[in-house]
Amino acid sequence: MRSLRRLLAVRFTLTMVVTLLVIGGAVYLVTRRTLHRQLDQSLANFLDVDLATLTPFRADRTESPTTSLEVFVDRVNRFVVRRDWEGAVVAANTQHAITLPFDADAIVLARAGEVVWRTEQWQDLNLRSVYAPGRSGVGVVQVSASLAPLNAVTRNLLLFVLAAIVLGSGATLFGAMWLSQSAVTPMRDITAQARAILPGASGQRITAHADIAEAAGLVTVLNELLKRLDRVLDAQRRMIANAGHDLRTPITTMRGEMEVALRGQRTQDEYRAVMTSALEELDRLHYISDALATLARIEAGEAHLRLLPTDVAGLLESAMRRASTRAGSRRLEFNPPEDVDTSARVDAGMIELLFNHLLDNAVEHTPEGTTVHAYVEANDEEIRVTVEDDGPGMPADVLPHLFDRFFRGDLARSRSAGAGLGLSVSAAIVTAHGGTVVAGRSQQGGLMVMVSLRRDPTARTQRFPGGTEGKLTGVAEQSRKKAGRPTG
């Protein structure tokens, strides 16, 4: 695993090293070029020196110079020589200049009136020389200088630049490590605080570096995640507790009834009654397990919907016929819409299960003699199904929780009230289809559950005018009139 701190330090240091190399190289080259130009300018200035100051000499003169070549180069470093057109020395400013090399081609060009520059080798020295015609056009003047002092200066400059690059790189690496450490410290502190959050504990939040602009976004996101996890964990705890209670109740009932039956001899009818009661409790356990499995598949994204063109009104009509067999004295009314297209791309099995849960909820939680009505309305993009009754309804504070798992509007109800999963499964099915479901009070004071399904789940939905609280129109109004119900 790569270290962000090391990566930042290395990249920053490499960037600075390259920058220092470029700057140092530019300084070295510019300085070296400037020194060479200054040297050439100095040699050119010596051409203007009065040649009368040059000391004439004879070719057979053999006196030794009074100062050594090294001292002369260090102190003066200017060799001035007058030559004839053949290159022979006529006069010089020092005995050392007598043996200066000369360029025959440069003398020829100087004789033609040109100023000629040459770089030459003499003994152990590199010379920079300039040739120009002498005064009154007599002979050639050669002015030379050793490049040793200039080379020494440029060499020292190069060493200085290299030393500055090395020291600057070291300082940059140290600063980059410190800077990267400062940059990753908030992440380390946030990570440490996140790791310190105890499993299962709720209400814990990250506070480290929340006042730093760059870290505030990360802290906010993590705290929002923790907040959502708290809600999920709380809901899971409630679900597990309620599931345990609802699963334990039928098991306890079956065990008690069987223990009573085994205490003595019973008649065949008594044994049949015990077995019938046990089957009812097993059906209840089967319903709870199926509902939980359906919820788990939908929420995990494993319930792959088979979206096919389906007549939603036809599914609702079939569900009404099935629910009427277990409605008892309750009346179920549904008037199929006429001349209205109620088809949509849905999973027929899932929507059928949705309608079964809605109707079972209306039948099981209303008193005898209640009437349950179902309506369908549609527009070009959406189909709305409404199931309502004229029973006692639900208190306003209960309505927002009807789709919570294991929720019961009346805790004093008997076991026949169900496990509180029907509407939760319904809401999950609607959400999987990209629709919406809401609960409210019907016009007769009972419970109303309204489901909105898209004709095509991949298309944008055009909501009905007035939202879920708006007045029903279209097919629903026709159905109400046929049923003899008020339309407003």
Side-chain angles (χ1 to χ4, degrees), residues 254 257-261 266 269-280:
M254 286 189 295
E257 291 177 348
M258 290 181 180
E259 287 178 348
V260 171
R266 307 291 177 182
D269 291 338
E270 290 174 333
Y271 281 123
R272 183 180 296 275
V274 172
M275 296 298 293
T276 301
S277 176
L279 285 176
E280 292 177 354

Side-chain angles (χ1 to χ4, degrees), residues 141-266:
V141 177
Q142 175 187 0
V143 181
S144 301
S146 172
L147 295 176
L150 187 147
N151 291 335
V153 172
T154 55
R155 183 170 56 253
N156 291 335
L157 176 63
L158 179 60
L159 294 176
F160 175 80
V161 169
L162 293 177
I165 292 175
V166 172
L167 292 177
S169 300
T172 300
L173 179 60
F174 177 79
M177 292 296 291
W178 174 81
L179 183 61
S180 60
Q181 173 68 24
S182 301
V184 301
T185 294
M187 288 188 291
R188 289 185 175 179
D189 294 343
I190 292 172
T191 302
Q193 197 168 25
R195 287 178 176 173
I197 295 178
L198 299 176
S202 60
Q204 299 184 89
R205 297 293 183 267
I206 297 174
T207 59
H209 302 284
D211 56 341
I212 299 178
E214 289 75 12
L218 177 60
V219 173
T220 301
V221 170
L222 291 177
N223 284 335
E224 289 294 332
L225 176 61
L226 291 173
K227 185 177 180 180
R228 292 194 296 270
L229 289 176
D230 284 346
R231 290 198 297 266
V232 172
L233 288 175
D234 291 341
Q236 187 181 49
R237 292 190 187 99
R238 291 194 301 270
M239 185 190 72
I240 293 175
N242 292 328
H245 175 271
D246 282 281
L247 292 174
R248 184 169 57 251
T249 299
I251 294 175
T252 302
T253 301
M254 286 189 295
R255 182 180 180 86
E257 291 177 348
M258 290 181 180
E259 287 178 348
V260 171
L262 292 174
R263 288 177 181 173
Q265 292 294 328
R266 307 291 177 182

Side-chain angles (χ1 to χ4, degrees), residues 10-27:
V10 170
R11 288 186 176 180
F12 186 74
T13 302
L14 288 177
T15 301
M16 290 303 299
V17 168
V18 172
T19 302
L20 290 174
L21 285 173
V22 172
I23 295 175
V27 169

Side-chain angles (χ1 to χ4, degrees), residues 192-436:
Q193 197 168 25
R195 287 178 176 173
I197 295 178
L198 299 176
S202 60
Q204 299 184 89
R205 297 293 183 267
I206 297 174
T207 59
H209 302 284
D211 56 341
I212 299 178
E214 289 75 12
L218 177 60
V219 173
T220 301
V221 170
L222 291 177
N223 284 335
E224 289 294 332
L225 176 61
L226 291 173
K227 185 177 180 180
R228 292 194 296 270
L229 289 176
D230 284 346
R231 290 198 297 266
V232 172
L233 288 175
D234 291 341
Q236 187 181 49
R237 292 190 187 99
R238 291 194 301 270
M239 185 190 72
I240 293 175
N242 292 328
H245 175 271
D246 282 281
L247 292 174
R248 184 169 57 251
T249 299
I251 294 175
T252 302
T253 301
M254 286 189 295
R255 182 180 180 86
E257 291 177 348
M258 290 181 180
E259 287 178 348
V260 171
L262 292 174
R263 288 177 181 173
Q265 292 294 328
R266 307 291 177 182
T267 65
Q268 185 175 0
D269 291 338
E270 290 174 333
Y271 281 123
R272 183 180 296 275
V274 172
M275 296 298 293
T276 301
S277 176
L279 285 176
E280 292 177 354
E281 300 301 336
L282 287 174
D283 288 340
R284 176 177 170 80
L285 289 174
H286 185 267
Y287 167 79
I288 294 175
S289 63
D290 278 353
L292 288 175
T294 301
L295 277 173
R297 288 198 306 272
I298 293 176
E299 293 180 355
E302 297 176 357
H304 302 292
L305 303 181
R306 297 182 59 193
L307 301 178
L308 299 174
T310 306
D311 183 9
V312 176
L315 292 180
L316 180 59
E317 186 175 11
S318 299
M320 292 286 286
R321 286 196 300 267
R322 288 191 299 270
S324 62
T325 62
R326 47 186 190 275
S329 62
R330 302 170 187 83
R331 291 186 303 129
L332 275 67
E333 295 184 357
F334 173 66
N335 298 101
E338 298 178 357
D339 301 327
V340 176
D341 181 15
T342 58
S343 63
R345 293 183 67 248
V346 297
D347 187 308
M350 285 288 185
I351 298 301
E352 188 176 17
L353 180 61
L354 163 67
F355 292 156
N356 289 339
H357 282 306
L358 293 180
L359 294 172
D360 287 345
N361 180 75
V363 169
E364 293 179 4
H365 299 313
T366 55
E368 296 288 339
T370 300
T371 300
V372 179
H373 303 272
Y375 308 101
V376 177
E377 59 181 329
N379 66 6
D380 293 338
E381 298 183 3
E382 191 177 55
I383 296 177
R384 177 185 292 175
V385 176
T386 304
V387 177
E388 62 181 16
D389 58 68
D390 55 7
M394 292 287 182
D397 59 336
V398 172
L399 291 176
H401 304 286
L402 282 181
F403 301 104
D404 295 346
R405 300 172 185 174
F406 296 100
F407 177 80
R408 296 185 181 86
D410 185 359
L411 296 179
R413 289 183 178 181
S414 64
R415 295 195 313 272
S416 63
L421 287 171
L423 291 180
S424 298
V425 174
S426 301
I429 292 174
V430 174
T431 302
H433 281 79
T436 59

Side-chain angles (χ1 to χ4, degrees), residues 117-149:
W117 295 89
R118 291 288 188 268
T119 300
E120 303 164 321
Q121 185 72 27
W122 178 45
Q123 299 182 13
D124 295 331
L125 301 177
N126 287 326
L127 293 179
R128 179 64 169 167
S129 301
V130 58
Y131 296 86
R135 290 189 176 185
S136 302
V138 179
V140 176
V141 177
Q142 175 187 0
V143 181
S144 301
S146 172
L147 295 176

